[in-house]
Amino acid sequence: MNNQRSTNSDEASQKLKQETVANETEQREAPFNETYHRGPVLLRGQMIPSESSTARLLNEENSTDWLHHDPWRVLRIQSEFVDGFGALAEVGPAVSIFGSARIKPDEPMYKAAQEMGTMVAQRDIAVITGGGPGIMEAANRGASEAGGVSVGLGIELPHEQGINEWVNLGLNFRYFFVRKTMFVKYSSGFVICPGGFGTLDEMFELLTLVQTHKVRYMPVALFGSEYWEGLIDWLRGPVSDHGMISQIDPSLFVVTDDPEEAVAVATGAIQRDRQN
């Protein structure tokens, strides 16, 4: 009899402990009374919205602030990639010519860029530029006058005048990184003429991609040795001496003052592919 009472007491005690643990666990593990799922996103507590995504979609909206929110920017970025890929997919072999928008038509550098655009087009290769004035206009002009494909990839800037008149296939981008992707994806060689921050940005991003093997090797010609001399001395001197680049990295580009040599370098990979 005593054994039965002891067993009952032990069972009651065990049950009480289990209920106590369950209550403590519930209090410890359930700080929020409600869970809301918005697609793959889980929301609880103060993060739960007052209305569903469908309700917000169907609400009459007078404010246009949503146009400037990051999710909408993602869609705009996506649309720029889609438009760029769609427009350039059938351009064929192409060479990009970079350079300053500030070069005037009566300057020797403009004439040289125009000549290079002509020579590229005569090889049945498309010319791609940033679509603006200066060096870009000159290269597009040379390609267009030679009956070639003259591509301009413009960028939305306050001081730019839009796509130049010598472009026969043009796109305008909001975002620099989308535009630069198009240059690299659809070009098989590059001529870099004198230019400022924009030209340097494009040049170094290209060289970085080649250096790190993110893209296949692409020939690069720097046109205008006097202009590039100081930069090259710095790269081969302090930058290399401090171990910031390897000894072979300066060989990723060729410096020349000859438009014909610059074009030969930039179109070299395309010509070799054609021969094979």
Side-chain angles (χ1 to χ4, degrees):
M1 192 72 175
N2 289 335
N3 289 339
Q4 182 65 34
R5 288 198 200 95
S6 177
T7 299
N8 292 340
S9 176
D10 289 343
E11 289 177 352
S13 177
Q14 185 67 24
K15 185 176 180 180
L16 179 61
K17 287 180 180 179
Q18 290 174 348
E19 291 175 351
T20 301
V21 169
N23 290 334
E24 290 176 350
T25 300
E26 183 178 353
Q27 292 174 0
R28 184 174 65 250
E29 295 183 354
F32 300 108
N33 297 324
E34 193 175 354
T35 298
Y36 182 91
H37 292 276
R38 186 173 63 193
V41 181
L42 181 149
L43 302 168
R44 290 186 175 128
Q46 63 181 6
M47 299 304 295
I48 296 177
S50 58
E51 57 185 0
S52 69
S53 297
T54 300
R56 288 197 303 275
L57 175 65
L58 298 177
N59 277 347
E60 182 178 348
E61 179 65 71
N62 294 320
S63 171
T64 59
D65 289 346
W66 59 276
L67 288 171
H68 307 289
H69 294 165
D70 285 343
W72 185 250
R73 288 192 180 99
V74 170
L75 294 178
R76 285 207 303 261
I77 292 166
Q78 183 182 39
S79 72
E80 289 205 349
F81 277 113
V82 171
D83 289 342
F85 293 155
L88 300 174
E90 298 180 358
V91 164
V95 162
S96 283
I97 300 179
F98 296 151
S100 175
R102 304 184 185 194
I103 299 295
K104 305 301 180 186
D106 59 351
E107 295 184 47
M109 192 58 66
Y110 185 101
K111 304 297 183 184
Q114 183 177 348
E115 184 180 350
M116 288 187 283
T118 297
M119 287 190 287
V120 171
Q122 288 172 342
R123 288 165 168 79
D124 196 25
I125 297 171
V127 171
I128 301 178
T129 79
I135 294 292
M136 297 172 281
E137 175 187 294
N140 285 134
R141 181 175 181 176
S144 181
E145 289 181 337
V149 177
S150 178
V151 181
L153 306 181
I155 187 71
E156 182 183 299
L157 294 174
H159 58 275
E160 287 289 350
Q161 300 175 357
I163 303 293
N164 69 69
E165 61 182 339
W166 299 101
V167 168
N168 51 40
L169 173 58
L171 293 92
N172 214 47
F173 295 92
R174 285 187 177 93
Y175 303 101
F176 273 111
F177 60 89
V178 180
R179 181 193 192 211
K180 287 189 285 187
T181 298
M182 301 303 153
F183 281 127
V184 175
K185 180 171 176 60
Y186 293 104
S187 299
S188 297
F190 295 81
V191 177
I192 317 291
C193 297
F197 286 165
T199 301
L200 294 173
D201 173 52
E202 290 158 348
M203 179 185 77
F204 277 115
E205 177 149 349
L206 169 65
L207 292 175
T208 300
L209 291 171
V210 175
Q211 178 204 46
T212 56
H213 305 290
K214 292 296 185 181
V215 298
R216 67 190 185 284
Y217 170 75
M218 286 185 283
V220 178
L222 303 189
F223 184 78
S225 60
E226 182 180 357
Y227 184 84
W228 298 110
E229 182 179 10
L231 176 63
I232 294 166
D233 288 345
W234 177 66
L235 292 174
R236 290 177 174 165
V239 178
S240 180
D241 293 344
H242 284 79
M244 302 303 174
I245 59 174
S246 73
Q247 295 293 323
I248 65 171
D249 283 342
S251 66
L252 295 177
F253 53 81
V254 174
V255 184
T256 181
D257 293 308
D258 181 3
E260 190 168 349
E261 182 183 11
V263 170
V265 170
T267 61
I270 298 172
Q271 302 286 37
R272 286 191 295 274
D273 288 344
R274 285 174 172 174
Q275 291 171 2
N276 296 331

